[in-house]
Amino acid sequence: MKTLSQKKYYLTAAVVCLLAVIGFVYYYFFTGFAICSETKHVYIDDDDTADSVYAKIAPYGCRHGMIAVRTLLRHQDYDSHIRTGRYAIEPGDGVVSVFRKLKNGRQVPCRLTVPESRTVDRLAGVLSRRLMADSLSFLNALTDSLLLARLGYDTCSVMAMFVPNTYEVYWNLGAGQLLERMKKEHDTFWNYNRMHKAEAVGLTPNEVATLASIIDEETANTAEKPMIAGMYLNRLAAGMPLQADPTVKFALKDFAIKRVYQGMLTTDSPYNTYRYAGLPPGPIKIASIKGIDAVLDRVNHDYLFMCAKEDLSGTHNFARTYKEHQQNAARYARALNQRGIR
């Protein structure tokens, strides 16, 4: 029969062992994990396994924390339930906190800036570098007639749906989901005030974006854009072709052209505004917000022609008559010839 002293001994030993186990568990699973002094982000995609996730977070975790993470990854069946996304590892995060983020899909959004891309393939490439889906997925969505029709667009007008702003989105957002999000942002952008102004100039939002895209390519001078918008609107009202050089470049898919020659003007494309009157079937790039607002707040005047200034400042000379326009064009051509621009 055990004496009282023996019982106390065994009880003490049990308590010591229990405290040791608690201390061990606390040290490995609940003390600080992150060794970084600032927030770091880990990107988990469809191809990841438990081992590759371990490798991705390893640079940001302490040695004993990584041992605990590996234990959790193996014994919590993580390999069968990997959640894609962008996850934050923050200073002070513990092992359990980090693991719960990964296991429960508690990702953080990223900031996506929609660029003023000229073509859907270029847009798809940019999006694929900033989000999880690859460029082919985005390109397929941007050219999916059924998906676009459901959103109210087609393959020509889809670029009008994008407003070049910065948005908070989840990194693993699918291509189709992104388009749906952009449609919501588009509808928010086109508020009552902008819709009212569009009606006043006699254009739909898609047509405004199309004209704005041409104006954006004509000049980088924001102050001049409402003047150019007024000139193009005068041409549309008069039934005159827009005769915009950027549309020829778009039709030829050659954006490096510095000088548009007469032979290029016969290019057979609905985007060639020298050959076909009215607006092209869609934007020639994602229009800037300043370009859109320039159309909506166009300057009312009676100019019908414009030509780049001979000082190559990027601004334009405006004319009311074709004769005056020819004189402006001649000065500009001489300036190009003198500088050897072909």
Side-chain angles (χ1 to χ4, degrees):
M1 184 174 179
K2 295 178 180 178
T3 64
L4 181 60
S5 61
Q6 288 177 319
K7 290 180 179 179
K8 287 183 178 180
Y9 173 79
Y10 288 123
L11 178 61
T12 301
V15 170
V16 170
C17 289
L18 178 61
L19 290 176
V21 171
I22 291 174
F24 176 86
V25 171
Y26 180 81
Y27 174 71
Y28 274 89
F29 292 92
F30 294 97
T31 56
F33 165 81
I35 58 174
C36 47
S37 58
E38 59 184 20
T39 300
K40 299 294 184 180
H41 294 98
V42 174
Y43 297 84
I44 310 300
D45 59 39
D46 290 324
D47 296 329
D48 275 310
T49 63
D51 287 338
S52 64
V53 170
Y54 178 88
K56 286 183 176 181
I57 64 176
Y60 313 122
C62 61
R63 184 174 179 275
H64 71 268
M66 291 308 301
I67 293 173
V69 166
R70 184 176 289 282
T71 300
L72 291 172
L73 291 175
R74 286 178 176 175
H75 296 285
Q76 292 291 319
D77 197 26
Y78 177 74
D79 217 7
S80 301
H81 302 90
I82 294 177
R83 307 283 290 274
T84 62
R86 175 178 182 261
Y87 297 92
I89 297 180
E90 301 171 289
D93 270 351
V95 172
V96 173
S97 173
V98 171
F99 182 72
R100 282 177 176 170
K101 289 179 184 180
L102 298 173
K103 183 178 180 181
N104 298 330
R106 286 161 41 194
Q107 59 174 311
V108 294
C110 61
R111 293 174 64 81
L112 172 67
T113 299
V114 173
E116 296 175 20
S117 301
R118 288 189 176 104
T119 61
V120 292
D121 56 328
R122 293 188 180 187
L123 176 59
V126 171
L127 294 175
S128 70
R129 290 192 291 273
R130 299 176 184 175
L131 298 173
M132 188 180 81
D134 60 25
S135 59
L136 182 58
S137 296
F138 285 115
L139 184 59
N140 288 339
L142 290 166
T143 55
D144 185 336
S145 299
L146 293 178
L147 172 61
L148 298 182
R150 181 165 58 82
L151 296 172
Y153 296 87
D154 58 32
T155 54
C156 293
S157 63
V158 62
M159 299 294 261
M161 181 174 66
F162 289 85
V163 179
N165 253 328
T166 299
Y167 308 96
E168 280 200 347
V169 301
Y170 286 114
W171 178 73
N172 62 348
L173 195 68
Q177 293 173 314
L178 177 68
L179 293 193
E180 292 174 353
R181 170 68 184 278
M182 292 299 99
K183 177 62 166 65
K184 291 179 180 178
E185 297 292 348
H186 170 277
D187 293 347
T188 299
F189 174 81
W190 281 96
N191 54 28
Y192 174 81
N193 186 43
R194 284 195 173 95
M195 289 295 294
H196 181 70
K197 289 181 178 181
E199 291 173 2
V201 297
L203 300 177
T204 66
N206 284 1
E207 290 170 335
V208 170
T210 298
L211 182 54
S213 71
I214 296 173
I215 295 168
D216 283 338
E217 290 290 273
E218 288 281 17
T219 183
N221 189 308
T222 300
E224 193 185 45
K225 288 182 180 182
M227 279 290 293
I228 298 175
M231 188 215 69
Y232 280 133
L233 287 168
N234 288 345
R235 281 183 162 254
L236 287 173
M240 297 174 62
L242 294 184
Q243 296 184 329
D245 287 358
T247 65
V248 177
K249 297 178 184 179
F250 185 86
L252 293 170
K253 292 295 185 290
D254 186 351
F255 305 108
I257 294 173
K258 294 183 178 180
R259 190 169 181 176
V260 175
Y261 289 96
Q262 189 68 34
M264 299 176 182
L265 305 184
T266 59
T267 302
D268 189 10
S269 167
Y271 287 92
N272 182 358
T273 57
Y274 278 88
R275 185 161 183 166
Y276 296 97
L279 290 167
I284 60 173
K285 66 183 288 287
I286 293 178
S288 70
I289 293 176
K290 290 181 178 179
I292 290 172
D293 287 340
V295 175
L296 300 179
D297 297 319
R298 83 287 185 202
V299 174
N300 287 308
H301 53 65
D302 57 356
Y303 293 120
L304 288 171
F305 304 92
M306 75 174 190
C307 179
K309 286 185 177 179
E310 59 274 17
D311 61 4
L312 304 186
S313 62
T315 55
H316 297 77
N317 289 312
F318 294 88
R320 295 177 177 85
T321 66
Y322 185 62
K323 181 178 180 180
E324 184 182 357
H325 172 64
Q326 284 183 307
Q327 294 170 348
N328 292 335
R331 290 199 299 272
Y332 179 62
R334 284 197 298 272
L336 293 180
N337 291 334
Q338 290 170 359
R339 289 168 174 80
I341 297 176
R342 301 295 178 187

